[in-house]
């Protein structure tokens, strides 16, 4: 049975690639948000027409992106949420809350210095990791019962 | 992963064909109501026996059609609802409400002159488009992250 | 046990008053949309600030109104949807679809000449009435088991 | 019918008091997280015993607080989420996501400068306000149909 | 906390009165279908207009009655279904199936000679009783922990 | 997309074969209860050990059969329930109620003389048929939009 | 708003009394299983008739008790599960699993020596306490935000 | 259609192998917990880092294991729970409760001497077996309608 894993959060490093590579050989289908930052920001107006007001420019794009992200989360067996070093990343926390309310098992990934600020998110998670390698090891263990050597 | 898209609403133009063609190459399974107007109106009595009263003639047909339309909407990942230029199209709005209550992402398509009358429907939607090409572009972006050139 | 009844749809005649009066003495709590048309149209911008674009003016208002209407429908035991003689009334059909998907019993009220156009909505309803008096009689029967004399 | 409103997010200003005062005379029951910052941080260890490791100190407290916050959100008719000027406020975004997934109408409140970073959260909301007064006006309109003079 | 108990099934004997009397002093709110057989059969046409065809005469009435019965079952904490000595009583079995699918605890009441024919219904029930007194004793035990002397 | 159709009810005629043959060429997966009457009655004790008391003999079998029937209904897109000419057939009505509460579209099949006794079941159905051929025609129309010639 | 708290598990000590006393002054409605061991064991046969086989004697009682326990858990805002020093207490663990699957916040109470055996149950809980006083302190904090002095 | 069967509970005998072998030739996908006891106990710390406190060592592992076990149960069509001769086995009872609350059909397997202690668990089950062969026979009957020779 294929495991559907949604990779939410930070889009400025290649952590998704690391997770995917670490899961080589496993029957996992990975999904996630559009990681092309410019396309993600402008998809609404690029397709549906320009907006004079930045607020509605953003709204249009957020609506289109939500079709993809909600679909990904709702069809996921596991949701991984990565908090990076920069930016507010409220959408990552939003996704974690959304996934939790749906009863999806959540794996949170962040640096130790964010632990206090993320304590509510961590509490709602099944596992709190620091590195993509750890996430991959968890997924491998979940699917095969094998621990890293 | 195949995306299931239900195309609800107006059945007098070929907009469904345009959407489907615009999505060529994408792994999308399109469903929708029966678009043969006469068959749709008469399916109940044609199969289950004539009715003297037009109201029950309609009821029988609506029951049979509902098996198809509800199944389509409930199994859809995305519901597109098109409001055309003519008729009351209450079934389109009904489908939009039905899909919204199920938490399905809805894309509404209509001419600008209907915007005020459709404001409650638009508010419940993730995207409001005017043309089949825009709908196809949204679906392509949702699946591939690529914007139209 | 109080019965919660949501009265959706047409806001230009006093049908809600007739239903309420016809239910005198019954333990029913009636809710419904804001029926002050101007307030309903402008609530978004009046509270949250003006919009240059009519589309977003409408969106803001529709969002605020949706807080009330969704809450009313989701807490209703019975949803009555009235289609009047004028306008597109897509929000009425939207509400009927929304209520149906939630499994709420729906009573539709409309003139016979709309029966064909409303056949999908009628099929989803438990009862199709023409007058407020009939709606009140249904509610009285549902609560007391008594038929009109 | 009492409206249950959960006031989530920032706990360092008195915005909750302003919302409550602005809703004077309305039948609203307000709930929210514990706003005593020290108690909120230490409730786990204060009741269940000290932890040597700060991570588990936080976990214990987050678990206890979650009993209150989840209960509040799950029983709310409307969830208001305030993003303040400082801190990461990931728990506010988490609550917004959680409430959205449950289908609760969300009102977001934040300064305009956070609009781009909060675009996904705003898109999931029924209304985006800047001030407690606006939140109170929305709640008053939702309950009474009256706009501010 | 009031216990809501729906008394479904046979309407030709006074078993409901016996259950209610046997529960004297307990905080139980009993609901059930309309037990006036004639009113129940004719409510649809009496309120909404005559039908030439008996099938649609019945349909109209069944729709109106369903508003009451579904509401009663969906709001019940316990559903009691009585199968009497006569008639097909398919609506009783339908109610038992409906309640079971909603996860409601079901108490079935019937004579021993119907046990084999009702084995699927009995298997879905928490208790199988033969008399109204037993049903009342179960409800009293459930609420007070006291067994009959 | 394969349509899953559960064929519930009467097991003494070959109506299931007729439906299946009438749907030749359609992508439908049919399921249903065990139709070997003796096996169905005795499966519990045959596998899990004899019972002295017929009531518990039946209970054991009903439990084992319920694993199959519930699974079939819960995974069905359409549930067909046939009432035959003989026996009480309470399990058929139970299945109809169970399927209705799950929101499954139900097609009921029975002779006209049972119409009054089945009026509540019929009201909950999308279509009321008399013959296996009609059921097959409905399924063919639902899947292809084609009416019988 | 009254908080509904279900006290599951061990019935041989007076821990429920201690929790209730520790919550004096709080608006909490406590529920729980029947704690009269003999009545709990015999309720099925005492009301519904004797059984020759102990297995079915137990089954009848468990069915009747389940009406109470399931109702209590499903209506609870918080479920407390106490594991005592003796017996297998599988029903306590069953209740914890049942409550977890419903998304209820669970507070587990047990001695430290059971921690390893209960690790899966503890992981599903929001809080792990050792004493009734701690449970009462958690409930007081959840409702008032006040920590023990 | 493949039947998904989750095999929960005791991990010290080869009962899972016996069930799987007894189901040879059937289209069943079996899942279950990690049965390597050491890996199961240590998976949390092996991947996510050591813990000084045994309680949190266990918690980390239980969180990781829960990703697998919950996923397995939530995707199962049938859940089999085996209680062995030794240990507390509270996680088995927890799984039975969890599966029951999700409406999954549960088959319990245990020795007769545990029947009284497991009466609440048995009551929630569709079948109570003593041997892996019986479980396999039930699954074979459910899928094929054939009883053991």
């Amino acid at each position: 049975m294929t495991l559907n894993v949604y990779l939410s959060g930070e889009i400025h490093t290649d952590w998704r690639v690391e997770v995917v590579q670490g899961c080589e050989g496993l029957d996992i289908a990975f999904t996630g948000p559009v990681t092309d930052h410019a396309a993600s920001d402008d998809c609404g107006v690029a397709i549906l027409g320009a907006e004079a007001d930045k607020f509605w420019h953003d709204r249009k794009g957020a609506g289109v992106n939500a079709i993809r992200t909600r679909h990904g989360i709702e069809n996921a067996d596991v949701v991984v949420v990565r908090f990076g070093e920069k930016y507010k990343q409220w959408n990552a926390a939003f996704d974690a809350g959304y996934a939790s309310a749906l009863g999806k098992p959540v794996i949170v990934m962040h640096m130790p210095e964010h632990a206090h600020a993320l304590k509510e998110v961590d509490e709602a998670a099944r596992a709190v990791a620091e590195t993509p390698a750890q996430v991959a090891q968890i997924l491998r263990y979940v699917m095969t019962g094998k621990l890293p050597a």
Side-chain angles (χ1 to χ4, degrees), chain A residues 11-66:
Chain A
I11 62 169
H12 300 94
T13 66
D14 65 350
W15 69 275
R16 285 182 180 80
V17 174
E18 288 182 65
V19 172
V20 172
Q21 288 176 344
C23 292
E24 208 183 341
L26 299 176
D27 184 11
I28 298 181
F30 289 99
T31 55
V34 170
T35 56
D36 175 337
H37 199 151
S40 174
D41 268 9
D42 297 333
C43 62
V45 296
I47 296 173
L48 298 169
E51 289 294 328
D53 187 331
K54 182 63 159 61
F55 182 82
W56 298 114
H57 175 115
D58 282 348
R59 169 64 54 91
K60 269 186 168 174
V64 170
N65 282 315

Side-chain angles (χ1 to χ4, degrees), chain A residues 120-138:
Chain A
E120 290 88 0
V121 178
D122 286 356
E123 198 273 339
R126 291 279 179 219
V128 180
E130 293 183 21
T131 68
Q134 288 175 321
V135 171
Q137 287 168 1
I138 290 172

